[in-house]
């Protein structure tokens, strides 16, 4: 059995009867030993049996009574136990079992064990609840007596002496510059196992370390200091430490040990042993301690003695029958060198002479715990020598680690530290010396020592840790294995989560349910992993529980998603038996689900359950078998996005084609030139065939190698074949694949064109050679090389451009760290070891160390250290964020100035960064509706073009044979030497091949995806995450923008707007009132209270205020309390004002240039009087009802002022001091500064803006008038927001909903475009289509503007793509022949390549996109923005459509509005040009829209 103690914070208790109710209720619960409830501290300390109770059940028991209960600390503290031996009389009427059960029924008894002879009972009890005397009387009718166990002398002490082989080491440390360096070394070395104490001196540049030689070596200590960045060397060889204070403390903590060699005197009864604590001044070193101990322990009456050098104390257990306190005091003073001063502490009467029961070395204090001593006290320590925030963090870090310290706040400005501590575990003097040990000067404030009751408490905490140590020896894997026998795991897909608070809500509520062991929710993946007991609950019930919380939930069938998959390279396998050995061993390993090893590739594919085993464990198993193994390296460089491979391929294809194309072009140009010269020479008559042959034979290129085969045709054929084979290889493969799947694409067209030209030319050549023709035939061998050159150039440029479009995503992927430093921690977070591993090998729950400048490899929670973290690359937040224990960190963000230890919560694909990358990847691959149309078009496009080409071929053949003159007239270079049939066929073929060449479905296919890719990439860089093409395209169609109020239009946190003082300044100075009110509200947890305190601190320019006592809060009414200690604060403030006044007077005098002397200030360098009489003020703060209830009358003028504030949507709070109403404070949730400009800009873009809120109509109207919104839906429940959005959509409007995502998720999902405003990881991932990472309303404008620009760009791209095809195809087919427009096939392919490249370049122009800047928009909107009057705002209450809240307009109002509308219509044209028209609004909306909707023209 084990007793634990837990502190539960309890809110809502108002009086001592509440306290009694809680105590009585909790005491009745099984396993509860004791409960103490404090009204002041608002907490309950429960001591319970951990076998019978859990903290959660206790917390819920208090919660069920109607109080707010939260666990102050999730880790219960072990309670100090004591043991007593009872002798059972032989003639006892009760059986030993009955005695045991009777004892166990009493509170405070933890365990009872009987000896084998049934004569002795060993009772374990909690000394703070009961004691030996009470235990003896617990069994009525039985005479129990306390007996001392027999102890063999020397047994305990020997074991403790063996541990005490401590060594002291002095090191010279160079490179330290400030106190922060010393605390770094002390912090780092102090955590190592085996280090007992370390003191680093900045002045002497040395470190003194006391350590245990059997746990750590001097060399290791030196290495660790050097690892921290300093150079260290040994001053003296380490020497064994003579018995010192540390050993003695360890001896003291060894249960039932007997001091230095003195055995318990068996003759004396334990009840006769008493304890005395002496204060000893004059001890210098360990040898003094040893002298005192050896001398006093030798006295016959002393049972044990413990002397502490630091505390200057000696605790002596002695027999009062043999000696007295005075004799002991004189004996100590007589110890050599006889200079010691021995005295009894002042509170000696309370502390000493307590019966010690069976463990003489136990601290006397648990027995005094009942003495009504407070559990927490406060010490204020003045600290000098702090230079920067790093010093503050160092002190807070070190002091907070000390036992008994509850909280610590260090102020650099005031040079002081305020520490809340448990007086039973530590003292102000201890705390002060620990700060001095860090190298700062520390002194206790005068008032700090007053609340301390015990001067020299003995540290019992060490005893606690000593007792609980064996628990940590149980191996976690063993526990996990035990657990998995009864635990199953399931995955639930959760929809509707919008931010971190949703995650916390689900996790908190499900953990309370029976049968659920743990739950982990991933926001970005929208997935919950639940471990549950299948005997108690099943997955569908878990999903139902999540649905009850208001989220969508479905159980995921493929639970294998949770399985880890590991790809390993295994070296050293030689045969099949190696494979079998690895597979069989892994399959036997607990947690491995599947394993396959391939000998040929040296690879292993392993599936495992990450809950039971991790990748590092699997690798270790393989290594233990004698093989070397490593991870298959994943490509983290995002190389699939930069299109490098395709770029290389097309570049090579282009170069090959170009090399062969240049000679072909040369030959072609030469022939064209020669032909034109000949035609000029013989312009007056056509040649006959004889003349032609003669001419051909005279030309070099027309010289026939064989009959019918000229040099020209032969060279062209030779140059064409390699291009057709190598240049066209890729096209042939792609075309074959396309035709195999019965589709036709771009490659099919290109292959058709080039193959037809090549085959046709080759056949003609063969026919000519067979006929041994004298005149050379005309071939198309020049077409394929030129076609391939232009197409491969186009493809090359297109892939270069595509690589550019996905730069944003590549940049995100490159943020991922590649390695992580995993550390192993011992007890008390002592660093045992650290190792570098691949980031894929990090397991959930690992402790990862991140050094300054390093990237966070995984998402996690900080467990130790303070630092600033740069999250700008992920959240767009420029300022670094402070991280301290308990904060979450995001993978990919950069740690700046301090080392952090984090516990991994999401690893691998579950990290926030991986999810953002996945989101952007999905966005860039998702198709916009307009693109689906383009894809459908491309499917029909190729067959159509082939049909057009065939039609063109036959049309021209028919036309040629019917009317040869047309062809003769328009076919360039025709001469009579070629037969008419050849001319017709050649012309027809040229036309049909050109049709095939010019048609390009590519540009159609590229028009949308390239623009979407660049658009989403540019958005991501500007902090706007757009989830794909659909929302990007939909946003430009939006006509209505609906804003949520709280947290979207407003900040979501209240601020003080105005303070009205109701009493004269001479009766209660304004500063004094603010100090009183601020101090009173300092203890309140209500948001309004926090706002008041923040305002007062700002006004008084002070971080700390006075002291508040008797604090009482009544929900819905107000607070009452007593305030003291504000005089020093006001004095400081007044002296600053005085100083400023003197400065101002001096400046005035100088300006006036007169010789008058400056009048002396009232106070010159006056010190604050130390004995200021601190006055106590009685304070009431709350609403009218609270004041009335406390007998105060609220005057009518004050009431009027309150009503006016409430009309303007503010909360009015009254403050009374000492029964006099003295102030009225107006508090409101303030509007974001950019909200008005954002609303105005959206309106000028032609959009209707609506405000939707759950708040009351007054507040809603007030906020709407401030930002310029004229249509308001107020008092709308979250569930009704969906209906409202649907209502607007039913009117035929496209709706964009902007929310901060706490309760807006259903409406965000329902809207055509859901825009979530988040900060950092609070991204409304699931429901929203657009996520604004920064909390800035101007990004709403930017997202709609970006959508409009992108859609505009897509349309331009379509125009580009279609122009080429719609104009190019008819020209190629010869439709425009009468006009003289004729295209060669190579011209067609050039045009085709140009169309693809121009579309991609057009998309890349989006990269120039700049967000609309606030400055420009403000400049344009100057004079046009104004607050709306209430009459212009129509407010609709709840879900009805009636504008009940809108006041009826008077006749005058109607006339004014009518005239304003007329003027608006006159100016509408001019205004539509001048106002901020990012995309031109509909003109008519300016004429007939709401009068107040657009800018007003001054009447």
């Amino acid at each position: 059995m084990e007793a634990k103690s837990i502190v539960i914070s309890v809110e809502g208790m108002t009086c001592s009867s509440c306290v009694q109710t809680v105590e009585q209720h909790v005491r009745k619960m099984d396993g509860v030993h004791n409960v103490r409830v404090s009204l002041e501290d608002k907490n309950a300390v429960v001591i319970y049996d951990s076998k019978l109770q859990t903290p959660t059940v206790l917390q819920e028991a208090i919660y069920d009574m109607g109080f707010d209960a939260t666990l102050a600390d999730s880790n219960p503290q072990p309670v100090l136990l004591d043991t007593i031996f009872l002798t059972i009389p032989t003639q006892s009427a009760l059986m030993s079992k009955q005695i045991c059960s009777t004892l166990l029924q009493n509170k405070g008894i933890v365990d009872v064990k009987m000896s084998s002879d049934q004569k002795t009972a060993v009772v374990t009890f909690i000394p703070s609840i009961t004691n030996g005397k009470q235990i003896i009387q617990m069994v009525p009718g039985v005479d129990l007596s306390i007996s001392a166990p027999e102890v063999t002398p020397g047994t305990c002490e020997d074991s403790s002496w063996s541990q005490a082989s401590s060594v002291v080491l002095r090191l010279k440390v160079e490179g330290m510059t400030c106190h922060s360096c010393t605390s770094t070394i002390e912090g780092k070395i102090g955590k190592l196992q085996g280090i007992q104490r370390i003191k680093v001196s900045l002045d002497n540049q040395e470190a003194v370390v006391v350590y245990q030689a059997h746990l750590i070596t001097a060399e290791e200590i030196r290495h660790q200091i050097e690892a921290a960045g300093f150079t260290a060397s040994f001053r003296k060889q380490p020497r064994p430490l003579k018995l010192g204070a540390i050993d003695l403390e360890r001896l003291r903590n060894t249960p039932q040990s007997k001091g230095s060699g003195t055995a318990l005197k068996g003759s004396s009864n334990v009840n006769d042993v008493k304890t005395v604590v002496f204060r000893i001044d004059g001890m210098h070193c360990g040898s003094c301690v040893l002298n005192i101990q050896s001398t006093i322990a030798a006295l016959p009456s002393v049972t044990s003695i413990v002397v502490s050098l630091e505390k200057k104390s000696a605790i002596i257990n002695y027999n009062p029958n043999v000696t007295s306190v005075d004799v002991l005091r004189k004996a100590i003073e007589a110890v050599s060198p006889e200079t010691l001063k021995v005295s009894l502490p002042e509170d000696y009467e309370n502390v000493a002479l307590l019966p010690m029961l069976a463990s003489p070395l136990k601290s006397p204090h648990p027995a005094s715990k009942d003495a009504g001593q407070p559990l927490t006290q406060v010490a204020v320590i003045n600290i000098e020598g702090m230079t920067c925030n790093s010093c503050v963090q160092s002190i807070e870090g070190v002091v907070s680690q000390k036992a008994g310290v509850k909280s610590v706040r260090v102020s650099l400005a005031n040079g002081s530290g305020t520490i809340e501590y448990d007086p039973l575990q530590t003292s102000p003097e201890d705390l002060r010396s620990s700060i001095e040990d860090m190298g700062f000067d520390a002194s206790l404030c005068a008032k700090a020592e007053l609340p301390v009751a015990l001067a020299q408490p003995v540290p019992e905490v060490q005893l606690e840790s000593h007792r609980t140590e064996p628990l940590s020896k149980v191996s976690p894997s063993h526990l996990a294995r035990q657990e998995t026998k009864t635990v199953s795991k399931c995955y639930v897909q959760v929809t509707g989560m919008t931010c971190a608070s949703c995650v916390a809500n689900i996790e908190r509520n499900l953990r309370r349910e029976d049968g659920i062991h743990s739950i982990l929710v991933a926001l970005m993946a929208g997935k919950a992993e639940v471990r549950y007991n299948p005997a108690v609950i099943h997955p569908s019930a878990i999903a139902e529980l999540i649905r009850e919380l208001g989220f969508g939930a479905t159980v995921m069938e493929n639970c294998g998603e949770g399985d880890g998959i590991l790809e390993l390279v295994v070296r050293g396998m030689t045969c099949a038996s190696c494979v079998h050995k690895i597979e069989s061993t892994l399959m036997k390993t607990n947690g491995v689900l599947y394993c396959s090893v391939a000998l040929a590739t040296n690879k292993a594919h392993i599936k495992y359950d990450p809950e039971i085993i991790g990748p590092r464990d699997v690798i270790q198993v393989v290594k233990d078998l004698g093989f070397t193994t490593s991870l298959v390296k994943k490509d983290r460089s995002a190389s699939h996005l930069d299109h490098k491979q395709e770029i290389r391929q097309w570049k090579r294809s282009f170069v090959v084609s170009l090399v062969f194309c240049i000679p072909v072009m040369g030959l072609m140009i030469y022939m064209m030139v020669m032909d034109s010269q000949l035609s000029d020479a013989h312009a007056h008559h056509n040649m006959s065939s004889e003349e032609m042959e003669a001419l051909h034979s005279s030309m070099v290129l027309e010289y026939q190698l064989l009959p019918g085969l000229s040099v020209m045709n032969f060279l062209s054929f030779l140059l064409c074949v390699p291009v057709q084979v190598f240049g066209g290889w890729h096209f042939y493969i792609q075309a074959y694949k396309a035709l195999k799947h019965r589709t036709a694409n771009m490659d099919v067209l290109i292959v058709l064109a080039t193959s037809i030209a090549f085959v046709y030319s080759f056949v003609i050549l063969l026919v000519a050679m067979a006929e041994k023709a004298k005149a050379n035939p005309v071939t198309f061998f020049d077409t394929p090389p030129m076609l391939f050159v232009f197409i491969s150039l186009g493809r090359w440029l297109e892939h270069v451009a595509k690589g550019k479009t996905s730069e944003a995503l590549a940049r995100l992927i490159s943020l991922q760290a590649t390695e992580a430093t995993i550390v192993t921690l011992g007890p008390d977070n002592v660093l045992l070891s650290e190792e570098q591993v691949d980031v894929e090998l990090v397991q959930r729950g690992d402790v990862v160390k991140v050094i300054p400048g390093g990237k966070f490899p995984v998402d996690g929670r900080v467990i130790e250290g303070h630092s600033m973290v740069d999250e700008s690359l992920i959240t767009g937040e420029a300022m670094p964020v402070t991280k301290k224990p308990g904060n979450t960190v995001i993978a990919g963000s950069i740690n700046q100035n301090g080392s952090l230890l984090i516990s991994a919560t999401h690893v691998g694909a579950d990290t926030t960064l991986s999810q953002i990358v996945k989101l952007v990847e999905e966005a860039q691959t998702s198709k916009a509706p307009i693109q689906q149309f383009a894809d459908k078009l491309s499917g029909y496009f190729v067959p159509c073009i082939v049909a057009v080409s065939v039609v063109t071929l036959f049309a021209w053949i028919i036309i040629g044979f019917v009317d040869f003159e047309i062809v003769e007239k328009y076919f360039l270079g025709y001469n009579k030497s070629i037969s008419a049939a050849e001319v017709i066929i050649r012309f027809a073929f040229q036309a049909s091949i050109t049709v095939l060449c010019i048609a390009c479905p590519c540009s159609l296919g590229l028009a949308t995806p390239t623009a979407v890719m660049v658009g989403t990439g540019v958005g991501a860089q500007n902090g706007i995450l757009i989830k794909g093409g659909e929302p990007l395209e939909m946003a430009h169609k939006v006509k209505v923008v609906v804003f949520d109020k709280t947290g979207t239009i407003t900040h979501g946190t209240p601020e003080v707007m105005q303070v009205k003082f109701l009493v004269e300044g001479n009766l209660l100075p304004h500063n004094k009132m603010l100090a009183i009110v601020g101090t009173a509200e300092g203890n309140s947890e209500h948001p309004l209270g926090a706002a008041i305190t923040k305002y007062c601190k700002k006004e008084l320019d002070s971080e700390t205020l006075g002291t508040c006592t008797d604090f009482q809060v009544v929900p819905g009414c107000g607070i009452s309390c007593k305030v003291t200690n504000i005089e020093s604060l006001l004095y400081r403030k007044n002296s600053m004002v005085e100083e400023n006044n003197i400065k101002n007077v001096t400046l005035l005098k100088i300006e006036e240039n007169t010789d008058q002397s400056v009048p002396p200030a009232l106070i010159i360098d006056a010190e604050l009087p130390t004995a200021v009489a601190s006055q106590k003020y009685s304070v009431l703060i709350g609403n009218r009802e609270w004041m009335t209830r406390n007998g105060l009358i609220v005057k009518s003028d004050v009431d009027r002022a309150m009503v006016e504030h409430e009309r303007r949507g503010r909360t009015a709070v009254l403050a009374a001091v000492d029964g006099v109403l003295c102030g009225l404070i107006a508090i409101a949730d303030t509007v974001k500064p950019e909200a008005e400009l954002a609303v105005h800009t959206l309106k000028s873009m032609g959009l209707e803006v609506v405000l939707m809120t759950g708040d009351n109509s007054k507040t809603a109207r007030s906020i709407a008038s401030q930002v310029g919104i004229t249509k308001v839906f107020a008092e709308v429940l979250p569930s009704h927001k969906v209906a409202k959005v649907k209502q607007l959509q039913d009117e035929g409007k496209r709706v964009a909903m902007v929310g901060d995502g706490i309760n807006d998720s259903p409406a965000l999902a329902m809207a055509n475009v859901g825009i979530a405003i988040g900060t950092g990881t609070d991204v409304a991932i699931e429901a929203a289509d657009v996520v604004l990472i920064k909390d800035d309303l101007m990004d709403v404008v930017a997202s709609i503007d970006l959508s409009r620009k992108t859609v505009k760009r897509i349309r331009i791209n379509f125009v580009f793509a279609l122009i080429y095809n719609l104009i190019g195809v008819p020209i190629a087919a010869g439709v425009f022949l009468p006009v003289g427009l004729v295209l060669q096939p190579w011209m067609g392919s050039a045009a085709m390549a140009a169309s693809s490249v121009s579309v991609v370049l057009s998309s890349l122009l989006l990269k120039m996109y700049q967000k609309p800047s606030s400055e420009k928009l403000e400049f344009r909107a100057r004079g046009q923005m104004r607050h709306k009057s209430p009459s212009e705002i129509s407010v609709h209450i709840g879900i009805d459509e009636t504008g009940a809240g809108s006041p009826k307009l008077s006749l005058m109002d109607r006339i004014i509005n009518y005239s304003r509308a007329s003027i608006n219509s006159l100016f509408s044209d001019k205004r539509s040009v001048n106002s901020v028209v990012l995309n031109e609004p509909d003109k008519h909306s300016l004429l007939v829209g709401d009068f107040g909707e657009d800018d007003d023209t001054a009447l």
Side-chain angles (χ1 to χ4, degrees), residues 384-458:
E384 290 174 34
M386 298 188 291
T387 54
C388 58
N389 271 329
S390 160
C391 301
V392 171
Q393 284 179 6
S394 300
I395 296 171
E396 286 183 342
V398 171
V399 176
S400 63
Q401 300 294 328
K402 283 189 72 69
V405 172
K406 302 266 179 84
S407 75
V408 54
R409 287 191 307 279
V410 178
S411 164
L412 181 64
N414 304 340
S416 71
T418 309
I419 304 166
E420 279 186 31
Y421 65 96
D422 183 344
L424 300 174
Q425 295 186 353
T426 186
S427 70
E429 187 57 37
D430 272 5
L431 298 170
R432 187 195 66 76
S433 61
S434 66
I435 295 173
E436 278 204 333
D437 289 347
M438 294 171 67
F440 301 96
D441 291 332
S443 60
L444 288 168
C445 282
K447 61 180 177 182
E449 288 166 19
L450 297 175
V452 180
L454 299 172
Q456 299 286 339
V458 180

Side-chain angles (χ1 to χ4, degrees), residues 1061-1185:
F1061 298 95
L1062 305 176
V1063 291
E1064 293 300 319
N1066 54 2
L1067 294 175
L1068 180 69
H1070 294 172
N1071 279 350
K1072 191 170 188 176
M1073 189 196 116
L1074 290 178
I1076 293 169
V1077 171
T1079 304
E1081 285 289 12
N1083 280 19
S1084 170
E1085 290 182 4
H1086 196 284
L1088 298 180
I1092 292 173
T1093 304
K1094 184 179 171 187
Y1095 172 80
C1096 295
K1097 284 182 176 178
K1098 187 177 162 192
E1099 285 296 305
L1100 297 168
D1101 194 17
S1102 167
E1103 273 307 302
T1104 53
L1105 298 170
T1107 312
C1108 173
T1109 53
D1110 300 342
F1111 184 82
Q1112 198 176 347
V1113 60
V1114 177
C1117 288
I1119 63 160
S1120 73
C1121 65
K1122 304 274 190 291
V1123 170
T1124 52
N1125 293 342
I1126 59 163
E1127 284 73 14
S1128 58
L1129 175 76
L1130 296 172
Y1131 169 76
R1132 196 163 64 238
K1133 177 77 179 168
N1134 291 343
S1135 61
M1136 283 164 64
V1137 171
E1138 177 71 22
E1139 211 171 279
N1140 287 342
N1141 289 347
I1142 294 174
K1143 281 182 190 166
N1144 295 342
V1145 170
T1146 312
L1147 288 170
L1148 271 170
K1149 296 292 177 195
I1150 292 167
E1151 282 173 13
E1152 287 170 8
N1153 228 346
T1154 61
D1155 293 324
Q1156 290 172 349
S1157 60
V1158 181
L1162 295 175
I1163 300 173
I1164 301 175
D1165 293 331
E1167 289 299 317
L1168 176 62
T1170 45
V1172 171
S1174 180
Q1175 204 175 333
K1176 190 177 263 195
Y1177 303 94
S1178 179
V1179 185
L1180 291 171
I1181 302 174
N1183 54 18
R1184 294 182 188 84
E1185 187 195 336

Side-chain angles (χ1 to χ4, degrees), residues 32 99 151 192 209 259 412 609 613 682 733 754 757 766 819 896 983 1094 1117 1165 1184 1379 1406 1432:
V32 174
I99 292 173
V151 178
L192 298 173
V209 187
L412 181 64
D609 182 350
I613 195 168
H682 305 279
I733 290 172
T754 53
L766 289 179
E819 285 193 325
Q896 289 194 334
V983 169
K1094 184 179 171 187
C1117 288
D1165 293 331
R1184 294 182 188 84
V1379 191
L1406 264 179
E1432 292 173 278

Side-chain angles (χ1 to χ4, degrees), residues 1367-1389:
I1367 296 175
V1369 171
I1371 293 176
V1375 173
F1376 296 105
L1377 204 67
V1379 191
L1381 268 179
V1382 178
L1383 287 182
Q1384 298 289 336
W1386 67 269
M1387 294 175 188
S1389 63

